[in-house]
Amino acid sequence: MKNSVLRIKKYLFYLICVLSALIFMTACDDNQSKGEAYTMYYLDSAGEKLVSEEYTVVADESDMKAIILEIINQLQQNGKNGVYISPIEKEIEYDRMEFKNGQLKLFFSGAYNNKTGVREILSRAAIVKSLCGIDGVDTVEFFVEEQPLLIGGNSVGQMNDDSFVEDLGDEGEPQKRMVRLYFADSTGRKLTAIDTTVTYPAAEKIAKLLVESLIAGPEAILDTDVTGLIRTIPKGTVLNSVTIRDNICYVDLSREFAELIPNVTSDATVYSIVNTLCELPNINRVQFTIDSAVRERYGDTKGFNTAMERKLDIINDTGLEKE
C-alpha cells in the first residue's frame, strides 16, 4: 500500500513537471508570436541586389538594445531559409555597438575593409535599412577597428533608410525615385524647383546622386520641362565626396567649382545644392569644401565656410515649395 502511494505521488510529480514545461513552452511561443515583425534585408544568391523577408523578434519590445542585438544576430545568418547572403559575413567580426539619442554606432573588425565595390555597398545598405526599421533608430554609422569607415579615403558618416537608392526589383529592375532639384531661372538670380525621376541600378547614397544630377545640368533631365532653366554648377566640376553626419551634409567639390558661371549669381549656385540636399529628411544643413579646403567666401555668398541652411526667398514664386 505504501509503495502504491509513493508511485502515485511520483506519477503526480512527473505529471506536474510535464504540464509546467508545456505551459512554459506555450507561454514562450505566445510571447514570440506577439513580437513585432521587422523587415530584414539580405543579398540575393548572386550577390547582385537586395532581397527582404519578415522576421519576428523575440526580445522584449521595451528593450531597444536587445532588439538591435537580435536583428544584428539575424543579419549574420543567411535568412530564415538559408538561401540569401548575409550582409555580415562570418569572417567579419562584429565587435560591439553604441546606441544613444537615436544614433547607432556599429564596430567591426579590420576584415570589413576587404569588402569592396557593389557587394560592400549592398551589404551596408542591407544592414542600415534593417536596423533603421527599428522605431527609435534614426541613423547608423560604421566603424572599423575603432575608426570611422572610409570609402575611397572619405568618411561614410551617418546613414539611414533614405541614404541609399537600391535595386529591389524581383527581376532586377532598377529602382526609380522622384526627387526635387533646383536650377537657376533665365535671370540667373532665382531658383526654380523641378520634380524628376532618377533611376539607379545599385545601392548608393541618394545625396551623391542628387549633386551629380545638378552637375549634369537641366539638359540631362528628360522627363520634365526645363525650358528657361540653366545650370548652376560650372562644367567640369567633380564631386569628390559627400558625407552625412548629425544632419549636416559635407560636400567636397573639385577646384572647377570655384570658377563661377557668368550671369549666374553665387547664391544661385550655392543654394541650388543646399536647397536640393535639404529636401532629404536626414539633411538640414550643408557644409562646403573645395578640394578639401574651407573657403571664407564663394563669390558674393556669405557664410560659405559654415554649415548653410536652405534659403526660401531665392526660390521663384512659381517654383515648387517644400511640402
Side-chain angles (χ1 to χ4, degrees):
M1 181 69 179
K2 185 175 181 180
N3 290 335
S4 298
V5 172
L6 288 174
R7 283 197 296 271
I8 292 172
K9 287 183 176 179
K10 287 182 178 179
Y11 174 77
L12 290 174
F13 174 75
Y14 292 139
L15 181 61
I16 291 171
C17 289
V18 171
L19 289 174
S20 298
L22 289 174
I23 292 172
F24 176 77
M25 291 172 63
T26 301
C28 289
D29 290 340
D30 288 342
N31 287 336
Q32 182 168 348
S33 63
K34 293 178 182 177
E36 186 172 351
Y38 291 89
T39 301
M40 307 289 295
Y41 292 89
Y42 303 88
L43 280 67
D44 70 347
S45 57
E48 297 176 348
K49 64 177 182 177
L50 294 185
V51 289
S52 65
E53 66 179 20
E54 295 299 308
Y55 172 75
T56 302
V57 298
V58 179
D60 187 338
E61 293 181 20
S62 64
D63 191 340
M64 178 70 73
K65 288 188 176 181
I67 293 175
I68 293 172
L69 288 172
E70 185 174 340
I71 295 294
I72 292 173
N73 179 69
Q74 188 65 22
L75 288 172
Q76 292 176 303
Q77 315 302 317
N78 291 330
K80 288 186 294 187
N81 298 320
V83 296
Y84 297 146
I85 297 176
S86 165
I88 308 177
E89 296 93 333
K90 292 181 180 179
E91 60 270 19
I92 297 176
E93 296 181 9
Y94 159 73
D95 294 333
R96 73 180 198 283
M97 74 165 188
E98 294 179 4
F99 180 68
K100 185 177 181 181
N101 298 328
Q103 298 180 0
L104 176 62
K105 297 180 179 180
L106 301 180
F107 294 81
F108 296 97
S109 65
Y112 187 95
N113 287 329
N114 295 329
K115 296 169 68 72
T116 58
V118 173
R119 178 66 70 92
E120 186 280 327
I121 297 172
L122 287 172
S123 296
R124 180 155 40 94
I127 297 169
V128 172
K129 290 174 69 67
S130 296
L131 291 170
C132 283
I134 303 173
D135 187 25
V137 177
D138 300 322
T139 63
V140 180
E141 186 171 7
F142 285 21
F143 290 79
V144 178
E145 293 186 337
E146 304 298 319
Q147 299 300 316
L149 173 64
L150 300 177
I151 299 295
N154 300 302
S155 174
V156 173
Q158 295 170 332
M159 301 163 284
N160 66 7
D161 190 59
D162 290 319
S163 297
F164 303 91
V165 177
E166 72 287 334
D167 175 0
L168 289 175
D170 292 335
E171 298 179 1
E173 291 298 323
Q175 171 102 349
K176 293 184 178 180
R177 175 168 177 162
M178 183 67 72
V179 298
R180 183 165 295 178
L181 304 172
Y182 289 85
F183 292 105
D185 66 6
S186 58
T187 70
R189 296 190 297 272
K190 289 280 190 176
L191 296 177
T192 297
I194 63 169
D195 287 339
T196 183
T197 300
V198 293
T199 304
Y200 209 72
E204 185 55 276
K205 283 185 177 180
I206 184 64
K208 178 176 182 289
L209 181 58
L210 292 181
V211 176
E212 289 178 341
S213 296
L214 292 176
I215 291 174
E219 57 269 28
I221 306 299
L222 302 178
D223 63 342
T224 303
D225 183 10
V226 295
T227 303
L229 300 185
I230 56 180
R231 67 167 47 248
T232 56
I233 300 179
K235 289 185 177 181
T237 298
V238 175
L239 176 61
N240 294 329
S241 67
V242 57
T243 303
I244 302 171
R245 186 186 299 275
D246 297 326
N247 298 117
I248 300 175
C249 186
Y250 295 87
V251 177
D252 185 50
L253 298 162
S254 65
R255 64 181 181 275
E256 288 82 2
F257 182 70
E259 301 171 4
L260 279 68
I261 300 176
N263 301 321
V264 175
T265 66
S266 58
D267 273 4
T269 295
V270 170
Y271 286 102
S272 69
I273 300 174
V274 174
N275 287 4
T276 294
L277 289 173
C278 286
E279 291 288 344
L280 299 177
N282 60 325
I283 297 174
N284 54 38
R285 288 182 294 169
V286 178
Q287 173 78 66
F288 290 95
T289 52
I290 298 178
D291 277 344
S292 302
V294 176
R295 298 202 179 191
E296 294 290 328
R297 298 176 69 91
Y298 182 81
D300 296 325
T301 301
K302 298 178 181 179
F304 189 68
N305 60 335
T306 64
M308 308 179 73
E309 297 180 345
R310 71 197 308 266
K311 188 174 183 179
L312 297 178
D313 60 10
I314 197 173
I315 302 174
N316 267 316
D317 293 336
T318 56
L320 300 172
E321 295 182 359
K322 187 174 182 181
E323 299 175 353

